[in-house]
Amino acid sequence: MSRPIIIDCDPGHDDAIALIMALANPELQVLAVTTSAGNQTQSKTLCNAMRILTLLGRQDIPVASGAVKPLSRGLIIADNVHGESGLDGPELPEADFAASELKAWQLMAQQIAASPSPVTLVPTGPLTNIALFLCSYPELHHKVERIVLMGGAAGVGNWTPAAEFNIYVDPEAADIVFKSAIPITMCGLDVTHQAQVMAEDVAKIRTISNPVAHCVADLLEFFVIYHKDPKWGFAGAPLHDPCTIAWLLKPQIFTGQNCYVAIDTMSPLTLGMTVVDRYQLTGQPANAHVLFGVERQGFVDLLTESLSHWS
């Protein structure tokens, strides 16, 4: 039986690859795709999600746009990473279907209420839409099996010294999510920085004879440009968002620990920091399963196997 999921994303190169991986694997049933503002503005992330679904021939999946800005702050985007379109690099088809008239959190509620099985939410961008759903539909919390999110870090950040981008964009939303009492799997920088795709992996992907794999190779070749800066210390490009899908499909290639995680919403120095109590120093009960390690080759193998599905 496939696991019902809703993907809330802000495509974004790695979001797009996560979406492609999810739809390649019948173990996951994607009930809906919703979009958040983050890597680019809401209008661009919605367009990008719909273009990817058009490429995949999955116009049957309902898509809805979400909040145009964080709950209480101005929007920060990562166009220095993902380009002017948010998906610079490949040539993608124009979307040939219409988005839902519902807002993201309304579509989430509709799909979750109708699902015979509990639904897993998979946010790979800022958590604004997830927080709005949780606040608007408390009666549906029991029908959410888990939230598997990309965001945060137990160590250093990538947008400020203390904060990872997705959490920094909307720390108030992240605070709501981590206080929700819904089981959380946190795919933070500690694990996603290990999920690197190397040049030889991209070359192998390029040999897979289908347009989806070629699109992913183009995405990766653009994405690696930002990560070539020596300050990061990367040998390849870390695929942050696909770690959420990989964990759902093959949790055995990951290692993690149950921890209490709090979000800093106030300090000018550590705003957006995910404070991970790895050593149980606060006495607070764990509210997240925090991933710390991944078997890189197993991750890359899963990616390439998923891309072969589209042949």
Side-chain angles (χ1 to χ4, degrees):
M1 183 175 175
S2 58
R3 182 176 195 164
I5 69 171
I6 294 173
I7 299 176
D8 184 62
C9 54
D10 59 338
H13 293 67
D14 47 341
D15 305 78
I17 295 170
L19 188 54
I20 290 167
M21 285 181 67
L23 289 169
N25 288 276
E27 300 97 313
L28 302 177
Q29 179 189 11
V30 180
L31 301 179
V33 173
T34 56
T35 59
S36 60
N39 286 329
Q40 257 295 353
T41 59
Q42 176 61 244
S43 62
K44 291 182 179 180
T45 60
L46 174 65
C47 176
N48 288 339
M50 295 177 69
R51 290 166 77 198
I52 291 294
L53 290 174
T54 299
L55 172 70
L56 302 178
R58 292 304 309 267
Q59 297 92 332
D60 58 303
I61 297 175
V63 181
S65 64
V68 299
K69 62 178 287 296
L71 295 180
S72 60
R73 301 175 186 270
L75 177 63
I76 298 166
I77 62 172
D79 54 344
N80 60 321
V81 182
H82 298 277
E84 180 61 29
S85 71
L87 275 184
D88 283 8
E91 292 187 15
L92 291 167
E94 294 303 315
D96 60 4
F97 67 108
S100 170
E101 294 183 0
L102 299 175
K103 299 304 293 182
W105 49 93
Q106 295 171 328
L107 181 59
M108 291 177 193
Q110 180 191 76
Q111 295 295 320
I112 290 169
S115 175
S117 303
V119 175
T120 295
L121 299 177
V122 187
T124 59
L127 292 167
T128 314
N129 293 336
I130 305 296
L132 286 167
F133 163 75
L134 293 174
C135 292
S136 301
Y137 301 96
E139 71 278 10
L140 292 177
H141 287 200
H142 74 284
K143 295 201 68 178
V144 178
E145 180 179 1
R146 178 170 289 270
I147 299 172
V148 182
L149 65 91
M150 190 279 130
V156 298
N158 66 350
W159 203 253
T160 74
E164 178 274 332
F165 175 78
N166 285 344
I167 305 299
Y168 183 77
V169 169
D170 198 343
E172 285 76 18
D175 189 48
I176 290 169
V177 171
F178 277 88
K179 288 178 177 175
S180 69
I182 293 172
I184 291 171
T185 298
M186 175 177 140
C187 306
L189 300 180
D190 313 277
V191 67
T192 68
H193 280 178
Q194 299 173 44
Q196 291 187 50
V197 174
M198 309 301 182
E200 57 268 27
D201 302 318
V202 179
K204 182 177 180 180
I205 289 169
R206 180 74 69 186
T207 67
I208 301 173
S209 58
N210 69 66
V212 176
H214 295 166
C215 172
V216 169
D218 289 342
L219 286 167
L220 289 169
E221 286 175 355
F222 183 89
F223 197 48
V224 77
I225 294 170
Y226 174 78
H227 296 97
K228 282 184 176 178
D229 190 321
K231 72 182 180 184
W232 301 117
F234 294 132
L239 286 189
H240 307 284
D241 299 335
C243 285
T244 58
I245 303 302
W247 183 83
L248 286 167
L249 293 169
K250 286 196 172 181
Q252 65 270 24
I253 68 172
F254 292 88
T255 57
Q257 180 181 332
N258 294 331
C259 300
Y260 172 68
V261 179
I263 311 298
D264 186 347
T265 61
M266 297 180 64
S267 169
L269 284 176
T270 55
L271 180 69
M273 181 178 182
T274 42
V275 182
V276 178
D277 185 9
R278 194 167 183 176
Y279 302 117
Q280 302 175 358
L281 302 175
T282 64
Q284 296 288 342
N287 60 352
H289 183 65
V290 181
L291 302 185
F292 287 105
V294 63
E295 180 193 335
R296 192 196 77 85
Q297 192 57 55
F299 172 83
V300 173
D301 290 346
L302 178 59
L303 171 61
T304 53
E305 290 163 11
S306 298
L307 294 175
S308 297
H309 163 88
W310 300 103
S311 298

